[in-house]
């Protein structure tokens, strides 16, 4: 018996609808994007019951020609591309020609449209792919699409819809994003007769933010307009007074399309590091313009995910754009439009008096220079904090004799001679730092990687990592199971920031497997020791005098500085008598 058959059109469209149309919000998104592609300047959305029973999208766009009305509902019918070559340069929101076919396969759809300058408009209905006749209709220019009884013929899907209010919130979220991406379009959302969102579409981002998020955010806004290499980004960010409890107001667009992407959000969050309290998130609306041939939009059915050809450049674009904005506001007040080059010219090296009060007493402070350097440097070190910590402790007085074998630092303290092993000493210092933060329960210090590392491992290794993920995270790694026996590393402990993240991760993993049968406490201690050991300066590395001094100060402020975490001595010391005796042997 023949068991393989070709599916009929309705079934094919319903399968496609399964991918594109998850619920009322997806219908709204597809229809609104069609309106935008049709160059509308006004889009009005009306819904009832969170869109489950009724959705109307009306626009004043260019309308649909009589000859195109029924074909617009065919699958893969589109006016926007002609061949696969066009995929490389699409800038319209739609191009798959799937939305109308999919929606009408699972709902009741009525389209009414009139072309610019046409005498008369037309109306046409399709319900579950059963089409009516095209009829003349007197209406104004543009297109109105009404969608009723969504999923009337797919009860399973209908059952999965949330309550009316949840569905409405999803629609609102979509419209907010459309409004922010299309500042020159006026949007209105009406629910059960009440207007719940309205933007003027006057092209000003500040006004849109005011209309959507309210006065508090709008009055603390920094506008962004930044170019890096051949990429550019526009938008706005909240200043450090705008702290969000969640990530949901980090909104990104690429070529006006709303996108969720780790590279973009970590670029922004890294740039905000230090400006916001730990655990708070920034307010960010950024729209990057990137040539379509440098991205792949076509990896997700509703196009909300994206792949960049050059992820590092995209990260830097966002990072520098945000840093630049924060820096400008910090030094010049929020309405200044001068760029950071000019700020550098004017203030760096010249104006001591421009320092914030708490640094003003520090003679010849490098604060400004550091700040601006940091703006161009992704690996930001909080040197001031470290300095402050050091100042609190008593300073160690010693006479510096020298360094031998690029490994042993020789100093004299109170008539004793010390040989300090630089690697063991640094290891000990880092061990204490990692252990302190490990046991404090505080957020670990993590350095986010510009480009997350995807590391292929053995299945057993992936399992070991996932079984011990808590330990990794507590020392500052940010990792996740990335599927197909790979691990994604997106952050490493701050103390290891300038090291090869793959090597340090693999080394710690190797250690972990060697002590996997001991108690949890012991595993934790050894793990912290391994991280410290891997991150410590090596024997044979040449240190500057300042580095040597910092190391010695830190080492000798520890309660027991004389052994490394593995129990090896960091230091050997002799009194004059002991040296004499050695000589006699
Ligand atoms: P796509 O947007 O991918 O081309 P759709 O199924 O969403 O596919 O729409 C099919 C076609 O119908 C579009 O290419 C466009 O020509 C036409 N169309 C749909 N909505 C509108 C609208 N609001 N105004 C003008 N034309 C529209
Ligand atoms: Mg479309």
């Amino acid at each position: 018996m023949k068991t393989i058959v070709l599916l009929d059109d309705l079934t094919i469209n319903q399968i496609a609808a399964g991918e594109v149309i998850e619920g009322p919000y997806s219908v709204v998104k597809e229809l609104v994007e069609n309106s935008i592609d049709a160059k509308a300047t006004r889009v009005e959305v009306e819904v009832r019951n969170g869109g489950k029973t009724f959705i109307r999208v009306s626009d004043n766009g260019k309308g649909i020609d009589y000859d195109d009305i029924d074909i617009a509902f065919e699958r893969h019918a589109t006016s926007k591309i002609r061949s696969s070559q066009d995929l490389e340069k699409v800038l319209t929101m739609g191009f798959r020609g799937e939305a109308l076919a999919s929606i009408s396969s699972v709902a009741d759809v009525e389209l009414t449209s009139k072309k610019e300058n046409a005498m008369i408009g037309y109306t046409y209905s399709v319900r579950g792919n059963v089409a009516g006749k095209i009829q003349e209709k007197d209406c104004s220019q543009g297109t109105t699409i009404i969608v009723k009884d969504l999923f009337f013929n797919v009860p399973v899907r209908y059952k999965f819809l949330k309550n009316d209010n949840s569905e409405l919130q999803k629609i609102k979220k979509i419209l907010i994003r459309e409004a922010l991406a299309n500042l020159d379009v006026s949007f209105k959302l009406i629910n059960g007769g009440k207007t719940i969102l309205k933007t003027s579409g006057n092209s000003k981002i500040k006004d849109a933010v005011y209309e959507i998020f309210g006065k508090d955010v709008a009055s603390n806004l920094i506008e962004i307009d930044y170019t890096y290499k051949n990429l550019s980004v526009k938008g706005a960010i909240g200043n450090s007074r705008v702290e969000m409890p969640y990530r949901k107001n980090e909104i990104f667009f690429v070529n006006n399309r709303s996108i969720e992407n780790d590279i973009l959000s970590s670029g922004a969050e890294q740039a905000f590091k230090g400006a916001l309290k730990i655990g708070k998130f920034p307010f960010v609306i950024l729209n990057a313009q990137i040539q379509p041939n440098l991205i792949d939009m076509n990896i997700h059915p509703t196009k909300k995910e994206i792949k960049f050809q050059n992820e590092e450049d995209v990260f830097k674009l966002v990072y520098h754009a945000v840093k630049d904005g924060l820096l400008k506001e910090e030094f010049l007040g929020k309405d200044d439009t001068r760029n950071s080059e000019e700020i550098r010219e004017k203030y760096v090296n010249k104006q001591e008096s421009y320092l914030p009060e708490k640094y003003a007493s520090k003679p010849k402070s490098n604060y400004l220079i550091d700040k601006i350097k940091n703006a161009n440097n992704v690996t930001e070190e909080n040197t001031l904090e470290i300095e402050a910590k050091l100042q609190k402790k008593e300073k160690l007085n010693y006479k510096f004799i020298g360094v031998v074998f690029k490994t042993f630092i020789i100093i004299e303290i109170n008539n004793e001679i010390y040989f300090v092993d630089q690697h063991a000493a640094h290891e000990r210092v880092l061990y204490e730092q990692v252990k302190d933060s490990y046991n404090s329960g505080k957020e670990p210090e993590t350095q986010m990687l510009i480009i997350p590392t995807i590391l292929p491992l053995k299945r057993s290794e992936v399992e070991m990592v996932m079984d011990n993920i808590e330990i990794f995270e507590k020392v500052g790694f940010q990792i996740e199971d990335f599927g197909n026996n790979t691990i994604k590393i997106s952050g490493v402990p701050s103390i290891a920031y300038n090291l090869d993240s793959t090597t340090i991760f693999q080394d710690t993993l190797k250690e972990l497997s060697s002590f996997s049968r001991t108690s949890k406490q012991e595993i934790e201690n050894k793990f912290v020791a391994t991280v410290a050991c891997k991150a410590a300066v090596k024997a044979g590395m040449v240190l500057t005098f300042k580095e040597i001094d910092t190391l010695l100060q830190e080492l000798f402020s520890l309660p027991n500085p004389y052994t490394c975490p593995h129990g090896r001595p960091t230091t050997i010391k002799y009194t004059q008598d002991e040296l004499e005796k050695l000589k006699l042997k």
Side-chain angles (χ1 to χ4, degrees):
M1 195 183 84
K2 207 166 136 202
T3 50
I4 300 178
V5 296
L6 287 171
L7 297 173
D8 62 74
D9 280 354
L10 179 63
T11 313
I12 291 170
N13 285 334
Q14 285 184 358
I15 292 170
E19 281 182 28
V20 186
I21 309 299
E22 269 182 291
Y25 80 92
S26 350
V27 173
V28 170
K29 179 169 188 286
E30 293 294 335
L31 298 183
V32 167
E33 291 186 348
N34 280 346
S35 298
I36 288 162
D37 285 344
K39 305 268 182 284
T41 58
R42 259 185 302 115
V43 178
E44 188 174 288
V45 180
E46 184 186 354
V47 300
R48 290 176 206 151
N49 305 100
K52 289 186 217 168
T53 55
F54 180 93
I55 298 169
R56 172 178 64 84
V57 177
S58 302
D59 69 50
N60 64 346
K62 62 187 180 192
I64 307 180
D65 204 81
Y66 173 83
D67 295 330
D68 284 338
I69 286 182
D70 47 358
I71 193 123
F73 285 80
E74 297 286 327
R75 193 163 153 75
H76 304 308
T78 179
S79 54
K80 297 165 195 174
I81 58 172
R82 284 288 172 265
S83 71
S84 64
Q85 276 100 47
D86 292 346
L87 277 176
E88 290 216 335
K89 48 179 198 267
V90 284
L91 280 172
T92 50
M93 304 309 286
F95 58 78
R96 290 165 180 246
E98 240 163 16
L100 292 182
S102 299
I103 297 168
S104 60
S105 74
V106 293
D108 192 335
V109 181
E110 179 196 295
L111 177 146
T112 307
S113 190
K114 188 173 124 181
K115 290 271 291 185
E116 195 179 6
N117 300 328
M119 300 292 289
I120 189 87
Y122 298 94
T123 179
Y124 178 69
S125 307
V126 183
R127 180 182 168 89
N129 283 15
V130 180
K133 283 212 163 59
I134 302 175
Q135 286 170 344
E136 288 194 351
K137 171 128 190 207
D138 200 10
C139 56
S140 50
Q141 190 209 315
T143 304
T144 289
I145 295 184
I146 293 175
V147 176
K148 286 192 277 199
D149 293 340
L150 182 63
F151 299 141
F152 76 93
N153 53 357
V154 208
V156 201
R157 265 204 171 231
Y158 186 84
K159 245 184 20 213
F160 275 103
L161 296 180
K162 301 267 161 20
N163 65 44
D164 291 5
N165 186 49
S166 309
E167 295 297 337
L168 177 66
Q169 293 316 316
K170 290 194 232 172
I171 291 172
K172 193 175 164 193
K173 179 178 162 184
I174 291 289
L175 276 189
I176 288 175
R177 279 166 167 67
E178 296 294 347
L180 291 169
N182 302 281
L183 293 167
D184 49 356
V185 179
S186 161
F187 287 88
K188 190 170 178 181
L189 172 61
I190 304 162
N191 175 53
K194 271 214 306 245
T195 299
I196 56 170
L197 183 79
K198 192 173 184 313
T199 65
S200 57
N202 69 357
S203 304
K204 295 192 184 128
I205 190 156
K206 203 166 179 171
D207 290 347
V209 169
Y210 182 91
E211 287 153 351
I212 298 166
F213 301 95
K215 184 164 158 271
D216 286 351
V217 181
S219 55
N220 282 300
L221 211 61
I222 304 170
E223 289 194 29
I224 302 288
D225 187 348
Y226 195 85
T227 304
Y228 178 81
K229 295 190 177 171
N230 54 352
L231 312 170
S232 70
V233 63
K234 277 190 187 174
I237 56 173
N239 64 22
S240 56
R241 282 186 289 277
V242 186
E243 294 188 318
M244 296 286 161
Y246 36 63
R247 201 167 258 137
K248 96 174 178 209
N249 288 332
E250 291 177 20
I251 302 176
F252 296 97
F253 305 92
V254 173
N255 302 339
N256 298 358
R257 195 188 295 279
S258 172
I259 292 293
E260 285 170 23
N261 180 278
D262 284 354
I263 308 278
L264 299 172
S265 49
S266 66
E269 285 180 16
Q270 282 282 301
F272 263 98
K273 227 173 152 191
L276 302 179
K277 287 195 209 82
I278 288 173
K280 298 287 182 185
F281 297 94
F283 178 87
V284 177
I285 298 165
L286 290 177
N287 193 343
Q289 297 299 321
I290 301 176
Q291 285 168 34
N293 62 341
L294 298 180
I295 51 190
D296 187 356
M297 264 301 177
N298 207 10
I299 59 170
H300 189 274
T302 63
K303 312 179 202 81
K304 73 176 179 209
E305 284 168 20
I306 193 170
K307 247 177 105 68
F308 300 110
Q309 223 174 62
N310 190 338
E311 298 188 328
E312 186 168 343
D313 279 355
V314 174
F315 176 92
K316 286 184 176 164
L317 168 73
V318 173
Y319 178 87
H320 290 310
V322 172
K323 263 283 180 207
D324 184 75
L326 289 169
L327 196 67
K328 267 187 221 165
E329 140 119 356
E330 186 174 343
F331 291 119
L332 297 172
K334 47 184 171 247
D335 289 326
D336 203 296
T337 48
R338 278 173 286 187
N339 64 33
S340 58
E341 282 302 326
E342 288 176 69
I343 305 169
R344 236 170 281 201
E345 277 296 310
K346 195 156 187 284
Y347 294 108
V348 179
N349 304 323
K350 292 180 194 158
Q351 288 201 223
E352 288 285 320
S353 61
Y354 208 79
L355 295 173
E357 211 181 355
K358 66 175 170 165
Y359 300 105
S361 60
K362 248 184 136 215
K364 297 241 174 347
S365 168
N366 285 329
Y367 174 77
L368 266 182
I369 299 159
D370 283 346
K371 267 264 146 166
I372 292 184
K373 256 203 238 150
N374 282 340
N376 293 314
N377 187 352
V378 174
T379 53
E380 184 177 341
E381 245 181 319
N382 203 343
T383 45
L384 287 166
E385 207 172 88
I386 297 167
E387 274 177 47
K389 258 195 233 151
L390 273 175
Q391 269 161 19
K392 270 191 239 131
K393 290 173 192 152
E394 293 228 5
K395 229 174 130 61
L396 170 78
N397 279 316
Y398 61 89
K399 184 172 159 198
F400 179 69
I401 314 287
V403 179
V404 287
F405 313 131
K406 293 185 198 147
T407 299
F408 291 100
I409 302 162
I410 309 176
I411 52 173
E412 185 190 329
I413 308 175
N414 300 332
N415 298 320
E416 288 180 310
I417 183 164
Y418 286 66
F419 296 83
V420 182
D421 175 334
Q422 65 181 40
H423 171 72
H426 194 212
E427 195 180 332
R428 178 61 208 278
V429 167
L430 292 180
Y431 174 74
E432 291 299 330
Q433 277 176 14
V434 182
K435 201 179 69 181
D436 275 353
S437 89
Y438 190 93
N439 293 332
S440 70
K442 273 192 304 208
E443 189 90 67
E445 296 206 19
T446 296
Q447 179 64 43
M448 297 306 290
L449 299 177
I450 296 176
I451 299 175
T453 307
I454 311 291
L455 199 63
L457 293 174
K458 293 196 208 102
R459 187 67 236 155
S460 59
E461 289 173 319
V462 175
E463 276 163 15
M464 185 157 40
V465 175
M466 296 323 287
D467 285 347
N468 293 287
I469 189 150
E470 206 189 317
I471 305 183
F472 280 95
E473 284 175 351
K474 270 176 86 179
V475 299
F477 279 108
Q478 285 206 2
I479 44 184
E480 62 191 88
D481 188 340
F482 203 58
N484 289 330
N485 293 341
T486 60
I487 290 284
K488 176 174 160 196
I489 310 174
S490 29
V492 294
S494 281
I495 55 162
Y497 78 89
N498 52 1
L499 303 168
D500 177 351
S501 59
T502 314
T503 313
I504 187 162
F505 180 80
Q506 278 173 328
D507 286 351
T508 43
L509 182 61
K510 211 159 54 195
E511 291 287 327
L512 192 65
S513 58
S514 73
F515 44 70
S516 62
R517 271 181 293 275
T518 37
S519 76
K520 183 166 181 263
Q521 168 84 50
E522 215 176 323
I523 289 179
E524 288 183 346
N525 281 339
K526 286 191 176 165
F527 191 78
V528 171
T530 307
V531 172
C533 174
K534 297 304 163 192
V537 295
K538 299 285 172 283
M541 240 156 97
V542 180
L543 303 181
T544 64
F545 181 70
K546 188 156 191 315
E547 287 165 334
I548 290 173
D549 183 53
T550 310
L551 180 59
L552 294 174
Q553 298 296 348
E554 297 225 335
L555 179 68
F556 287 98
S557 67
L558 298 177
N560 172 19
Y562 298 109
T563 55
C564 84
H566 297 104
R568 285 193 304 270
T570 61
T571 300
I572 33 177
K573 59 175 181 175
Y574 298 106
T575 60
Q576 193 172 352
D577 278 347
E578 285 167 331
L579 268 184
E580 299 283 357
K581 278 183 207 143
L582 272 181
K583 209 169 58 176
L584 292 172
K585 273 188 196 162

